[in-house]
Amino acid sequence: MNSNLFSYIWQHTRRDQIWIIGVILISMPFLFLALDLPKAIVNGPIQGRGFMTPDATARFLELKFALPQWLGGSNLNLFSGFELSRMGYLVGLSFVFLGLVCINGLFKFYINTFKGRLGERMLRRLRYELVDRVLRFPMPYFKKVKPAEVATMIKDEVEPLGGFIGDAFVQPVFLSGQALTAMIFIMVQNIWLGLIAASIVLIQAFLIPRLRKRLLVLGKQQQLTARDLAGRVAEVVEGIGEVRTNDTSNFERADISNRLGRIFFIRYELFQRKFFVKFLNNFLAQLTPFLFFLIGGYFAISGSLDIGQLVAVIAAYKDLPGPIKELIDWDQQRQDVEIKYNQVCEQFSPQPMITAALQAPTPGVVANLSQPLAVSGLTITDDTGTMVLEPVDFALAPGEWVAAVGEVNAGAEITAEALAQLVPPTAGHIRIGDQPLDAISAAVTGRRIAYVGPDTYLRNLSIRACLLSALMNHPQRSLSGQSGLKRDLEEARASGNSELDWSADWIDYDRLGVADASHIDKRILKALTLVEMDDEVFEFGLRSQPDASASRAIETPILTARAALKARLAKASIAHMVEPFDPDRFQNQATIAENLVFGAALSKEFEAENLPRNRLFLDILAENALDQQLYDVGRKIAATVVELFADLPPNHPFFDRLSFVKPEELPTYKTMLARLGDRDYVAADKTDRGLLLGLALRYIEPRHRLNLLTDDIRTLIIAARRRLIERIRAGKSATVAIYEPEHYNVGSSLEANILFGRIAHGLADAPNKVHQAIRETLVDLNLRDTVLEAGLSFVVGNGGKRLTQAQRQKLALARALLKEPDILIVNRGLANLNPRNQRAIMAALAKAKPKARPKSGTTNEVGTVEKKPRMTVFWVLASPALVELFDRVLVFHDGRITADGTPAKLMDSSKQLKRLVA
Amino acid sequence: MSIQDEVAVLRRIPLFAHIDAQKLKLLAFTSERIVYEPGQTLFLQGEEGDASFVIIDGQADILVDSPQGPVSVAKVERNAIVGEVAVLCDVPRTATVKAFTRLDTLRVTKAQFLSLLTEFPELTVEIMKILALRLTKTSTELSQARSRLLALERPSA
């Protein structure tokens, strides 16, 4: 990065800057004319100079130059103009004035737009360059930077730079031109008034920057404190678990309060000073007209200055303080942004950066890394200077499976990280064939080497997208049309941004050997099965609720499964364990709310807790005489609950089983019941009605067993349900997905769609048996893959937090396998699984040799394009007992390799290995 | 069957005889009602005990593991309570209980059961009585078994 802001700007915007300065210079004479014209109007037609007689005329728009003496001294007549009367002359001049106003305005408009675009382009370039640099930072540097601070710098701190860049060269030229024009004009009119104006300007130029020095310091402090605040807030969010488990939230509050306080005082002082400077500026600006009136008036009265000149001077002076002030502003801004720019430059220039060439976009197929990987004299010291890896030497033959074992941090982990280029070697080399690893382009290492560490960062995407993200190395085929793209592309080029098409399909299907997106899921499932994550994804799929477009494809199979499940339950004589949804019958296992709405809510107002406030719902209840009935049910529930629980202490274990009300709400119900006495529904007020209705709506007879539902109420509920369904169907938007036995329900999960009913309460083991039956049904119908594919849409949460750590590890391994790498490096990648599962996965992996596939290749840097050999594996084992699955074992101890050989041999000879396995 | 009926059943159980109806209603209200089909297991010997069961209707089989497999040692029926020992003493289940006929039960969790005990000393005394009776019975059976064992050993000696 160019360390000087001005040369950075000049380097990228030279042509534009010269152009706009040219335009500004051209605009100057017009500005001068617009200043001069009022004088001509006042003195000429208004005051009558040159129109001594009523019918006198003057030449309008006459263009005539007196040639200098050395050119002959004659008059050059370009345009003889029109002959106009005094009135006509006034009209003519006024229109010329209007024309000049328009021209000047248009110049300003063009210049400002051009400057704005210039600035925005440079801002875009700068931000892009900063992110590009982040992508090329040396790995150890990431230990020191706080993500939120980097983000703040890129997002907020360079923003004023963008504004300034447009003005960097233009503003001083433009403003000083403006000010100079006005100044010269005033000077020409009257030298004394000119001197007054000039001296005030000099005072301004001297005083204001001095006053503003402190402002700059404050501005910088404000920036640093705000950046720190962003970093702190991010820390709190990332470490919220620690904050909660240690009850340090109040310390965080105090810390944030303290920081905000500091920012407050900085900003407060900033404002005070800013407004004082403003006051002074305004005062000085107003002082000049005062002097003009006084002194200019004196000259005018004494006759040495005509009124027209005085008016013109005062008008011209209007244009003087503005540019001067802005010029001073510009200079302040310059100092300010130079400081900022230098700060940002410093932060974004850690050495040694990865060269841009290594990360250059590389289309097509890259060569296989089919030569041995050799490590020689590899030494690593950490940032405290401690040697964590003494010189180690070893080689991995292509296709060889090597396990690295040792105590935690005995050197195996750091070796794996060095092989993945996550840690730079302090000394020594890693080579593939005869090429140093760090000289091989990222396109090759990133596609041919896979690394799985103990924790993997997952973006908040679906499982499918997470897995495919590792295959997004280069845009493969454009998805959008060409229109609109061209503009984007040109603009990207103008600001030196990446010209790769973001919206294209980036997934390299060829590399996976599948034709297109529709076949990709099969490959993903294969990888997930290999890492034993298929069952979990299956459960995600069952609980998922596919969106409208995805559900259309699976409607038919799911309905088939619904019928098949029914048959299976009947065959196993457990049909009574599920009560199906039947529009004409009361659903005993569901709440009254569910019985009435009889569907899955798609909009908030039909969710159970909002029903007591749902206008349509309340109307239906009233129309079907259910409002009073449910009020009575609610009241009985409230009475029972209050009667049973009122004198229990709030933390009594019985409260755990109370589903209707929270312990702290009990007093509310108690006082309400007392207040209501034996008043009936009509006499009760709206709030009480709502509360009691809410209780009634949550009631399930077989579960709560209060014997509150009569056949009469059930009949009324079914009638009300029918009316409500009609009204919902007649409504404009889909608010409820109604349960229909012959149709797929878009508001329910796959599992709920297959079950299409409720599991009966109070039957031993019913949930397990029914769930088991659902799973068996799907397997029988060959629908397992369909559900698995739905499960691939499960969104993993921020950083993958909706998954367990073991699931994240399995997902990371699956992603690595999907790449079909030549070299697989695993660094305690399955450490969170139990050893039995680790063994099963590794054994499956050893069996699943990738099939040979000829590749049409491009030129290669390393190795040759040939049929695919078995992948090389370097695996730092969390469970050393698994060494037997490998060809060779490296035993690490105290940063050194102490044994190297086949597992069978080392189990006999290496004491360390024996101890680790034991 | 509603809570009221359950309270009626609970009252007939000797253990709960002295507890007022209000508390029994609370106990019923906060307990889960579970029906077992014949042959279904309530709990297995050796498991952690988290609840006891009041039998409202039906018959249950109590089985104890032996070298020859599980052996039925007793049958219990309505108004009995099973599984309370593991809940009281924090020991693993001492026997397996299976439904013999269709079995209607009220599942009382450990926390509920213990809080009843602390609240109602009468209940504790009842439990003591029951346990003492069982102990007496077991001791008697043990001494009988011993003497029979001796009788069997003596002729051979």
Side-chain angles (χ1 to χ4, degrees):
Chain A
M1 252 172 129
N2 202 321
S3 61
N4 182 303
L5 177 61
F6 276 86
S7 68
Y8 177 73
I9 298 172
W10 189 246
Q11 179 192 345
H12 293 294
T13 61
R14 195 172 9 194
R15 276 177 48 203
D16 287 340
Q17 301 279 10
I18 291 172
W19 164 252
I20 196 67
I21 288 170
V23 173
I24 289 169
L25 290 179
I26 293 168
S27 75
M28 283 298 154
F30 292 94
L31 186 68
F32 186 86
L33 282 178
L35 292 175
D36 192 51
L37 207 57
K39 184 184 77 178
I41 295 173
V42 173
N43 285 346
I46 293 177
Q47 292 212 312
R49 186 182 296 170
F51 298 93
M52 296 313 166
T53 56
D55 54 348
T57 59
R59 291 213 151 262
F60 180 62
L61 293 181
E62 186 182 26
L63 281 178
K64 173 166 82 173
F65 296 98
L67 285 181
Q69 282 303 315
W70 51 272
L71 275 172
S74 66
N75 276 340
L76 188 67
N77 219 339
L78 288 176
F79 181 59
S80 57
F82 312 97
E83 197 72 30
L84 288 177
S85 68
R86 186 173 168 180
M87 202 38 124
Y89 203 80
L90 176 68
V91 172
L93 281 182
S94 298
F95 273 98
V96 172
F97 181 74
L98 184 65
L100 284 173
V101 167
C102 290
I103 291 172
N104 283 325
L106 286 173
F107 265 117
K108 236 179 197 159
F109 173 66
Y110 177 80
I111 291 165
N112 282 336
T113 319
F114 194 91
K115 273 193 328 193
R117 194 182 65 174
L118 194 65
E120 287 306 315
R121 263 189 199 155
M122 278 303 284
L123 182 60
R124 180 175 175 181
R125 179 188 292 274
L126 188 59
R127 281 184 170 154
Y128 177 79
E129 211 167 294
L130 292 181
V131 176
D132 173 66
R133 291 183 149 255
V134 172
L135 291 170
R136 297 191 288 116
F137 275 175
M139 288 307 290
Y141 191 61
F142 286 104
K143 285 185 190 161
K144 292 182 214 152
V145 294
K146 281 189 193 169
E149 294 189 358
V150 172
T152 323
M153 278 194 262
I154 294 173
K155 182 182 149 279
D156 297 326
E157 293 188 18
V158 300
E159 179 112 38
L161 259 73
F164 178 77
I165 285 162
D167 288 335
F169 295 95
V170 173
Q171 194 79 340
V173 174
F174 183 59
L175 291 173
S176 47
Q178 245 184 346
L180 219 59
T181 311
M183 202 66 220
I184 291 169
F185 179 79
I186 297 172
M187 285 285 194
V188 169
Q189 305 310 315
N190 184 297
I191 187 77
W192 292 112
L193 293 182
L195 285 178
I196 290 171
S199 54
I200 297 280
V201 164
L202 282 178
I203 294 173
Q204 252 182 320
F206 176 80
L207 210 56
I208 307 294
R210 261 155 200 73
L211 287 172
R212 284 204 178 156
K213 235 180 206 137
R214 174 76 187 146
L215 284 182
L216 277 183
V217 177
L218 288 172
K220 196 171 162 186
Q221 279 179 5
Q222 186 197 334
Q223 178 183 353
L224 288 177
T225 46
R227 188 197 294 167
D228 281 350
L229 178 72
R232 263 315 270 147
V233 171
E235 257 180 7
V236 172
V237 174
E238 278 166 33
I240 189 70
E242 306 302 315
V243 173
R244 295 260 166 91
T245 52
N246 296 321
D247 180 36
T248 54
S249 71
N250 287 313
F251 176 73
E252 302 298 346
R253 286 191 185 99
D255 184 23
I256 295 294
S257 162
N258 170 41
R259 282 165 198 274
L260 291 174
R262 233 179 301 156
I263 294 177
F264 170 83
F265 285 113
I266 291 170
R267 289 182 68 98
Y268 183 55
E269 191 184 341
L270 205 64
F271 281 124
Q272 276 179 318
R273 287 180 178 269
K274 232 182 213 168
F275 288 125
F276 177 71
V277 171
K278 207 170 190 176
F279 159 76
L280 201 68
N281 239 334
N282 287 341
F283 177 75
L284 287 176
Q286 293 304 313
L287 190 66
T288 327
F290 159 77
L291 292 171
F292 281 179
F293 284 125
L294 192 69
I295 300 168
Y298 168 77
F299 283 135
I301 291 168
S302 62
S304 58
L305 186 74
D306 60 50
I307 306 282
Q309 273 177 319
L310 185 58
V311 171
V313 165
I314 291 174
Y317 182 72
K318 246 192 16 240
D319 289 330
L320 193 56
I324 297 287
K325 191 175 148 276
E326 281 176 54
L327 214 53
I328 298 170
D329 284 347
W330 175 86
D331 190 56
Q332 302 297 317
Q333 217 187 343
R334 176 187 62 80
Q335 296 180 27
D336 188 34
V337 296
E338 275 190 336
I339 292 169
K340 277 186 181 155
Y341 180 79
N342 288 338
Q343 268 188 352
V344 169
C345 274
E346 242 169 64
Q347 291 278 344
F348 283 79
S349 305
Q351 291 306 326
M353 295 262 270
I354 295 165
T355 59
L358 272 183
Q359 292 187 350
T362 312
V365 180
V366 297
N368 287 347
L369 292 174
S370 52
Q371 289 177 320
L373 184 149
V375 173
S376 56
L378 181 65
T379 313
I380 294 166
T381 46
D382 66 12
D383 47 8
T384 63
T386 315
M387 200 179 267
V388 286
L389 196 66
E390 317 258 339
V392 298
D393 302 85
F394 63 92
L396 304 179
E400 194 175 22
W401 280 49
V402 177
V405 293
E407 310 279 339
V408 173
N409 290 332
E413 296 88 349
I414 200 98
T415 305
E417 286 176 22
L419 291 180
Q421 291 185 283
L422 293 176
V423 173
T426 311
H429 300 282
I430 304 171
R431 286 195 180 84
I432 294 181
D434 50 8
Q435 285 229 44
L437 185 62
D438 57 10
I440 301 172
S441 112
V444 177
T445 55
R447 295 178 212 186
R448 305 300 344 145
I449 301 177
Y451 173 80
V452 182
D455 39 36
T456 303
Y457 183 81
L458 297 172
R459 278 178 63 198
N460 192 6
L461 299 169
S462 67
I463 290 181
R464 181 186 291 107
C466 279
L467 286 170
L468 292 177
S469 64
L471 297 168
M472 294 168 71
N473 304 116
H474 201 272
Q476 301 294 321
R477 47 189 80 66
S478 175
L479 296 174
S480 56
Q482 284 301 304
S483 61
L485 266 181
K486 199 164 163 264
R487 200 186 95 161
D488 288 352
L489 200 64
E490 276 169 3
E491 203 44 59
R493 195 171 296 152
S495 26
N497 278 207
S498 168
E499 292 169 34
L500 299 176
D501 179 8
W502 170 82
S503 62
D505 188 353
W506 281 63
I507 298 158
D508 189 353
Y509 298 114
D510 289 345
R511 183 133 60 96
L512 288 185
V514 298
D516 54 46
S518 58
H519 295 84
I520 199 89
D521 281 357
K522 294 271 176 287
R523 288 303 302 270
I524 293 177
L525 292 181
K526 211 174 117 191
L528 285 175
T529 310
L530 206 58
V531 298
E532 295 195 327
M533 201 169 151
D534 47 342
D535 287 343
E536 285 143 288
V537 174
F538 183 74
E539 293 300 321
F540 291 148
L542 274 181
R543 266 169 258 142
S544 74
Q545 194 180 312
D547 56 29
S549 62
S551 63
R552 215 159 294 136
I554 51 173
E555 265 178 47
T556 323
I558 293 299
L559 289 177
T560 316
R562 189 185 285 178
L565 175 70
K566 211 170 173 181
R568 177 179 287 268
L569 292 176
K571 204 171 151 205
S573 322
I574 52 171
H576 63 284
M577 286 187 175
V578 177
E579 185 170 330
F581 288 124
D582 183 339
D584 301 319
R585 285 174 56 185
F586 190 82
Q587 165 63 273
N588 289 302
Q589 311 298 337
T591 61
I592 294 185
E594 287 166 316
N595 261 294
L596 282 161
V597 174
F598 206 67
L602 297 177
S603 69
K604 270 217 153 22
E605 69 263 27
F606 278 95
E607 280 168 12
E609 67 268 24
N610 297 325
L611 287 176
R613 286 180 301 279
N614 182 323
R615 206 57 261 162
L616 171 64
F617 181 78
L618 293 177
D619 287 349
I620 296 281
L621 290 190
E623 284 165 27
N624 291 277
L626 265 172
D627 47 357
Q628 307 214 20
Q629 297 265 22
L630 292 184
Y631 171 84
D632 289 340
V633 169
R635 203 158 132 163
K636 279 180 196 153
I637 295 171
T640 309
V641 169
V642 167
E643 173 199 331
L644 292 179
F645 288 87
D647 46 353
L648 288 187
N651 52 358
H652 198 277
F654 280 7
F655 278 110
D656 300 345
R657 297 275 311 155
L658 178 59
S659 56
F660 283 109
V661 297
K662 296 192 192 88
E664 63 270 20
E665 290 171 349
L666 264 181
T668 318
Y669 286 97
K670 202 174 175 181
T671 48
M672 179 175 75
L673 286 176
R675 185 171 62 237
L676 287 173
D678 41 63
R679 251 181 283 172
D680 63 357
Y681 175 74
V682 186
D685 79 4
K686 216 174 142 189
T687 326
D688 293 346
R689 284 183 194 174
L691 277 173
L692 291 180
L693 177 62
L695 285 185
L697 289 178
R698 269 174 270 168
Y699 183 71
I700 302 174
E701 178 91 32
R703 179 168 170 207
H704 300 116
R705 314 188 301 278
L706 293 178
N707 215 6
L708 296 176
L709 295 189
T710 57
D711 282 344
D712 194 29
I713 294 186
R714 290 193 181 95
T715 317
L716 284 177
I717 287 177
I718 290 167
R721 172 200 292 174
R722 290 203 182 103
R723 295 280 303 128
L724 189 62
I725 289 177
E726 276 168 32
R727 297 278 284 276
I728 286 170
R729 287 213 172 107
K732 280 189 210 84
S733 55
T735 46
V736 178
I738 292 156
Y739 296 134
E740 294 165 289
E742 306 303 322
H743 289 101
Y744 181 86
N745 188 292
V746 292
S748 308
S749 68
L750 288 189
E751 186 167 32
N753 257 298
I754 296 167
L755 181 63
F756 199 67
R758 284 288 146 84
I759 297 173
H761 287 91
L763 296 182
D765 217 24
N768 278 337
K769 282 188 171 156
V770 174
H771 287 152
Q772 187 62 28
I774 291 176
R775 278 140 192 85
E776 286 164 8
T777 306
L778 288 166
V779 172
D780 278 3
L781 292 174
N782 276 329
L783 287 175
R784 196 178 140 84
D785 279 6
T786 310
V787 178
L788 278 169
E789 281 167 29
L792 291 181
S793 301
F794 178 81
V795 176
V796 300
N798 205 355
K801 290 204 178 102
R802 290 178 72 196
L803 303 177
T804 63
Q805 185 138 21
Q807 286 171 335
R808 285 201 289 274
Q809 291 189 332
K810 289 197 268 190
L811 204 58
L813 182 60
R815 176 161 74 181
L817 294 175
L818 212 53
K819 281 192 351 185
E820 295 197 347
D822 297 327
I823 301 172
L824 173 68
I825 302 158
V826 185
N827 181 8
R828 296 186 181 264
L830 296 177
N832 280 70
L833 276 65
N834 66 42
R836 196 176 49 78
N837 294 53
Q838 290 185 30
R839 175 184 293 271
I841 293 173
M842 283 182 211
L845 209 61
K847 249 199 296 181
K849 278 188 196 173
K851 56 180 185 292
R853 193 169 65 234
K855 292 208 170 185
S856 58
T858 52
T859 52
N860 51 8
E861 287 178 64
V862 180
T864 48
V865 176
E866 57 197 21
K867 88 173 178 173
K868 202 163 160 42
R870 191 183 183 216
M871 81 183 158
T872 312
V873 174
F874 182 83
W875 198 308
V876 180
L877 287 176
S879 315
L882 302 176
V883 290
E884 58 182 70
L885 295 168
F886 290 79
D887 302 332
R888 196 175 130 204
V889 186
L890 299 177
V891 182
F892 282 81
H893 185 71
D894 271 350
R896 254 182 289 247
I897 296 178
T898 53
D900 178 352
T902 62
K905 201 183 97 195
L906 289 194
M907 282 303 273
D908 286 339
S909 65
S910 166
K911 247 186 270 166
Q912 257 131 15
L913 181 60
K914 261 188 259 175
R915 208 181 51 229
L916 286 167
V917 172
Chain B
M1 199 190 249
S2 76
I3 299 256
Q4 293 303 340
D5 306 317
E6 286 161 16
V7 172
V9 172
L10 289 175
R11 301 210 73 166
R12 284 199 292 273
I13 299 174
L15 190 57
F16 298 131
H18 301 293
I19 297 179
D20 60 273
Q22 196 60 18
K23 284 291 172 241
L24 288 183
K25 198 171 168 190
L26 182 63
L27 179 65
F29 186 75
T30 53
S31 301
E32 211 179 333
R33 182 77 172 271
I34 302 179
V35 176
Y36 291 86
E37 295 299 319
Q40 267 190 308
T41 309
L42 278 71
F43 51 80
L44 287 169
Q45 184 175 346
E47 274 180 355
E48 199 71 23
D50 58 346
S52 57
F53 296 81
V54 174
I55 298 176
I56 291 172
D57 202 10
Q59 270 194 336
D61 216 353
I62 299 184
L63 304 144
V64 176
D65 288 346
S66 77
Q68 285 78 38
V71 181
S72 170
V73 290
K75 290 225 167 26
V76 286
E77 46 190 43
R78 61 186 299 181
N79 301 348
I81 179 161
V82 290
E84 78 285 7
V85 174
V87 168
L88 278 173
C89 323
D90 268 331
V91 292
R93 298 288 193 196
T94 51
T96 296
V97 175
K98 283 184 169 181
F100 187 66
T101 62
R102 192 180 141 91
L103 192 68
D104 200 348
T105 65
L106 204 59
R107 184 173 180 274
V108 181
T109 64
K110 189 171 171 174
Q112 281 174 293
F113 200 81
L114 293 180
S115 75
L116 274 183
L117 288 187
T118 48
E119 247 171 277
F120 299 101
E122 308 95 302
L123 185 64
T124 317
V125 175
E126 281 301 321
I127 291 269
M128 270 167 61
K129 266 190 211 162
I130 292 173
L131 292 179
L133 276 175
R134 274 195 209 158
L135 186 62
T136 323
K137 194 173 162 226
T138 316
S139 309
T140 319
E141 281 173 1
L142 184 65
S143 58
Q144 283 170 355
R146 276 214 184 113
S147 53
R148 235 179 291 155
L149 199 66
L150 277 175
L152 283 173
E153 277 170 359
R154 208 162 280 156
S156 66

